[in-house]
Amino acid sequence: NAGVTQTPKFQVLKTGQSMTLQCAQDMNHNSMYWYRQDPGMGLRLIYYSASEGTTDKGEVPNGYNVSRLNKREFSLRLESAAPSQTSVYFCASRGHLGGISRFHEQFFGPGTRLTVL
Amino acid sequence: DQQVKQNSPSLSVQEGRISILNCDYTNSMFDYFLWYKKYPAEGPTFLISISSIKDKNEDGRFTVFLNKSAKHLSLHIVPSQPGDSAVYFCAAIRYGNNRLAFGKGNQVVVIP
């Protein structure tokens, strides 16, 4: 049981290049999320998917697209990377197990550190 | 607009003493609150939570207190240990919603 996995761990891009960040979870969770973490800014939600087949914008969606490929996988795509997208990206998932006390708990992956030059 | 606020970005405390982290929220519709802990180069991990129907929840060395009238919660770590050195995020949500609102985090350094 690996939980939430993310690939790659590190990536360096040049401005204008594109790439896809991959995320997979093996906990049979319905909801999945993409966050970015920047110094002094906390965790900001980019996009989320409440269930397979649905996606919604978070607070900072500009410059990103997402795909909920199936229940396990949720990818984040940068079509034309910009230096402002240099950040650490976290994927998370949430299930409905564990009763009310754990209903809102999100499980996070280890992160992808992205640098755009 | 920041709905969850964590002031005092960093805290240093001696090993064995109490660490107190504070969190304020503006949305009165929030009814569930969580604390996450994050080590460098790792993802955040869930630490403890509290429902708005309670004013205290305790789990080992960690206790969260909720003051609904003041829209304020705090995390107490007693006694603090060097392994508690991390960034702590406060988060809030309205039950049934999909999105957590996170604070900016507090860096805690426990000095041996």
Side-chain angles (χ1 to χ4, degrees):
Chain A
N1 191 337
V4 180
T5 57
Q6 293 183 235
T7 56
K9 285 186 168 48
F10 302 94
Q11 184 71 49
V12 179
L13 293 177
K14 295 181 180 178
T15 297
Q17 287 186 315
S18 63
M19 79 160 295
T20 300
L21 281 64
Q22 307 287 353
C23 173
Q25 52 90 10
D26 61 3
M27 296 174 282
N28 201 35
H29 285 172
N30 290 325
S31 302
M32 296 186 73
Y33 307 81
W34 276 105
Y35 294 90
R36 59 178 289 174
Q37 185 195 10
D38 303 292
M41 299 297 291
L43 291 162
R44 293 186 292 171
L45 183 65
I46 305 171
Y47 270 94
Y48 68 102
S49 170
S51 60
E52 186 178 355
T54 68
T55 60
D56 285 287
K57 295 179 180 179
E59 54 182 306
V60 288
N62 291 344
Y64 305 95
N65 286 301
V66 290
S67 295
R68 183 74 183 266
L69 304 170
N70 47 55
K71 192 170 185 179
R72 289 187 64 247
E73 298 172 288
F74 188 39
S75 62
L76 178 71
R77 183 159 178 84
L78 287 69
E79 290 290 353
S80 179
S84 61
Q85 294 177 304
T86 293
S87 187
V88 181
Y89 291 86
F90 291 102
C91 177
S93 70
R94 180 176 72 90
H96 301 92
L97 304 176
I100 291 176
S101 65
R102 307 298 291 266
F103 182 77
H104 289 294
E105 180 182 344
Q106 292 184 16
F107 295 80
F108 284 80
T112 294
R113 186 173 295 274
L114 176 67
T115 301
V116 183
L117 302 175
Chain B
D1 184 29
Q2 193 82 15
Q3 297 187 79
V4 177
K5 299 178 182 179
Q6 295 178 256
N7 296 321
S8 307
S10 64
L11 169 71
S12 291
V13 63
Q14 288 290 135
E15 181 177 4
R17 305 293 290 269
I18 184 171
S19 295
I20 299 177
L21 303 175
N22 294 304
C23 178
D24 297 291
Y25 61 96
T26 58
N27 189 340
S28 59
M29 301 301 289
F30 288 147
D31 51 16
Y32 199 78
F33 306 88
L34 306 88
W35 285 93
Y36 279 81
K37 177 179 180 178
K38 185 185 178 306
Y39 292 120
E42 294 184 12
T45 54
F46 171 78
L47 185 59
I48 192 170
S49 62
I50 188 167
S51 164
S52 61
I53 62 173
K54 296 184 176 182
D55 55 17
K56 176 182 174 181
N57 188 29
E58 193 170 353
D59 184 1
R61 297 185 297 112
F62 302 91
T63 302
V64 56
F65 296 92
L66 175 63
N67 182 334
K68 284 179 292 184
S69 61
K71 296 193 184 68
H72 177 84
L73 61 157
S74 61
L75 174 68
H76 292 209
I77 307 173
V78 183
S80 299
Q81 299 175 352
D84 297 330
S85 296
V87 175
Y88 291 80
F89 291 100
C90 175
I93 194 168
R94 180 179 180 181
Y95 185 81
N97 204 332
N98 267 307
R99 300 169 52 164
L100 286 171
F102 280 93
K104 293 185 178 182
N106 289 126
Q107 173 72 59
V108 172
V109 176
V110 180
I111 304 164

